[in-house]
Amino acid sequence: MLYLLLPQFSSYVSVLNVTRYNTFRTAAASVTALAISLLFGPWVIARLREFKVGQIIRQEGPQSHHAKAGTPTMGGVLILASAIIPTLLWADLNNSYVRVAVLATIGFGAVGFADDYLKITRRTHHGLLPRYKMAGLLVVSAFVGLAALYLASKGQYNTRLIFPFFKNLIPDLGWGYAIFAIVVLLCSTNAVNFTDGLDGLAISTVAVAAATFTALAYVTGHRVFATYLLLVRFPPTSELTVFCGALVGASLGFLWFNSYPAEVFMGDVGSLGLGGALGTVAILIKQELLLPIVGGVWVLEGLSVVLQIGYFKATGGKRLFRMAPLHHHFEQLGWKEPKVITRFVILAILFALFSLTTLKLR
């Protein structure tokens, strides 16, 4: 909206020419998202308390978490609104990549919203039945996969995979790429969902990953950087830096209220929406295989759940970890919640930095 409106007045106010650059608009989107979060956060939290939208704590979870019961949840609505509104204001809405990213984020967030809503109304930690939840995620993931194939048919995308460390390994999946995209998105949404268990943990790692993808989206759309780093270049993808910048600002704004001790939780509407948003960006900028490195903490959290379940079934009831996801294991070892959060965020930053070095290592 502002991307199209403000340049029209540049002949009267020359400084408005700066709005033509996506670097400026990325910064503007980030600041706008942060401002929306900070301004409307207290109001949203108050309304959630008023409507008694409180967190339901699993009985089998850590005993120390039972005191958190009743803390307002579904704060992910604030995160997604804070990210999408600045994107609509500052991004080029004629850009197909931006439209796909925004629609996918709304879709994944809607699945999470339905899950949260049922948990609250039923006063239980069970929301959507697993098959219905998976069906919803599959539908939105399929939309992204088919959108990628459509863009490829228009010459605006390709279905090759870029492997970290290997510059000549670029297989073309063809129509199978849609299935691959679905797998990527199901993994990213659920991995972020597993990570959302401690105050500020999930949103902190999301902020780190969003900042990383802001840089990746920029270099992917930049002629010199993309050529130098041997990246698949689609110039329109640079517009996704605005969307990623908005995600960064929205995440930091929510962290203001979600940091330990949390005043509000994001709920599945936030974790599924954010996991889907970053997974979609990774697909659109052809960094799908870099996503597990950027989100290394999410991978560890997701794997801990899978391994725990598998080991439990294989051994007839024994546990590999004291509790899964992984952050609960360290709590059971005696680490205080703030220490677990801080150390996991440090790991997230290290994974993000390593992911950026892989671009040159190719």
Side-chain angles (χ1 to χ4, degrees):
M1 186 184 301
L2 295 178
Y3 168 74
L4 297 175
L5 180 63
L6 293 180
Q8 297 181 22
F9 298 94
S10 60
S11 57
Y12 305 103
V13 185
S14 59
V15 72
L16 293 180
N17 276 315
V18 75
T19 59
R20 300 180 188 274
Y21 299 97
N22 62 6
T23 48
F24 171 82
R25 290 184 287 109
T26 298
S30 185
V31 172
T32 303
L34 178 62
I36 291 174
S37 293
L38 295 178
L39 287 173
F40 290 95
W43 181 84
V44 170
I45 294 171
R47 298 290 79 72
L48 291 174
R49 285 202 181 100
E50 179 183 334
F51 293 118
K52 294 181 171 57
V53 183
Q55 179 71 25
I56 307 298
I57 304 297
R58 295 185 304 163
Q59 291 301 314
E60 63 271 21
Q63 291 299 313
S64 60
H65 287 212
H66 289 185
K68 300 181 180 183
T71 301
T73 186
M74 295 182 73
V77 172
L78 173 65
I79 307 172
L80 299 189
S82 299
I84 291 172
I85 291 173
T87 300
L88 298 179
L89 288 174
W90 294 105
D92 180 5
L93 300 182
N94 293 319
N95 185 289
S96 299
Y97 296 88
V98 171
R99 291 202 298 266
V100 171
V102 169
L103 290 175
T105 301
I106 294 172
F108 287 117
V111 175
F113 183 91
D115 191 48
D116 285 335
Y117 179 78
L118 291 177
K119 289 177 183 176
I120 299 303
T121 55
R122 295 172 178 173
R123 308 306 299 171
T124 174
H125 65 269
H126 297 293
L128 284 171
L129 290 174
R131 61 177 177 272
Y132 294 141
K133 187 174 181 179
M134 184 61 69
L137 295 176
L138 277 171
V139 169
V140 185
S141 301
F143 159 74
V144 177
L146 293 175
L149 293 181
Y150 174 78
L151 290 172
S153 70
K154 299 294 184 180
Q156 301 173 19
Y157 193 76
N158 71 50
T159 52
R160 292 185 177 275
L161 295 184
I162 309 274
F163 280 81
F165 309 110
F166 302 97
K167 65 180 179 180
N168 295 319
L169 186 59
I170 48 174
D172 192 342
L173 299 184
W175 285 94
Y177 186 84
I179 298 175
F180 172 76
I182 290 173
V183 173
V184 169
L185 290 167
L186 290 179
C187 289
S188 65
T189 50
N190 284 286
V192 174
N193 187 241
F194 287 138
T195 308
D196 183 28
L198 300 181
D199 298 357
L201 176 58
I203 197 63
S204 295
T205 57
V206 164
V208 172
T212 306
F213 278 111
T214 301
L216 290 171
Y218 179 74
V219 299
T220 300
H222 194 284
R223 181 178 61 84
V224 176
F225 290 147
T227 302
Y228 176 68
L229 296 172
L230 303 177
L231 301 177
V232 176
R233 178 175 176 258
F234 304 115
T237 58
S238 62
E239 199 64 25
L240 286 172
T241 60
V242 179
F243 176 68
C244 291
L247 286 176
V248 173
S251 298
L252 294 177
F254 186 73
L255 181 59
W256 184 272
F257 306 103
N258 185 234
S259 58
Y260 181 86
E263 301 173 53
V264 62
F265 299 134
M266 68 168 66
D268 281 12
V269 61
S271 60
L272 295 182
L274 292 170
L278 293 173
T280 300
V281 170
I283 288 169
L284 293 175
I285 66 173
K286 303 303 300 174
Q287 295 297 340
E288 316 94 325
L289 298 182
L290 205 60
L291 180 61
I293 301 177
V294 176
V297 169
W298 309 334
V299 173
L300 293 176
E301 295 273 36
L303 279 178
S304 70
V305 174
V306 173
L307 292 174
Q308 182 85 319
I309 294 173
Y311 190 81
F312 186 86
K313 291 181 178 180
T315 59
K318 294 182 179 179
R319 298 177 184 274
L320 182 61
F321 303 99
R322 293 195 177 187
M323 187 178 289
L326 190 59
H327 54 259
H328 289 325
H329 171 75
F330 288 105
E331 282 190 290
Q332 297 301 305
L333 288 178
W335 293 18
K336 297 298 183 182
E337 185 171 343
K339 180 168 288 190
V340 179
I341 297 165
T342 301
R343 290 179 173 176
F344 273 49
V345 171
I346 291 172
L347 277 178
I349 295 171
L350 292 175
F351 277 124
L353 292 174
F354 178 67
S355 69
L356 294 175
T357 65
T358 64
L359 297 178
K360 186 54 185 170
L361 291 176
R362 294 177 57 247

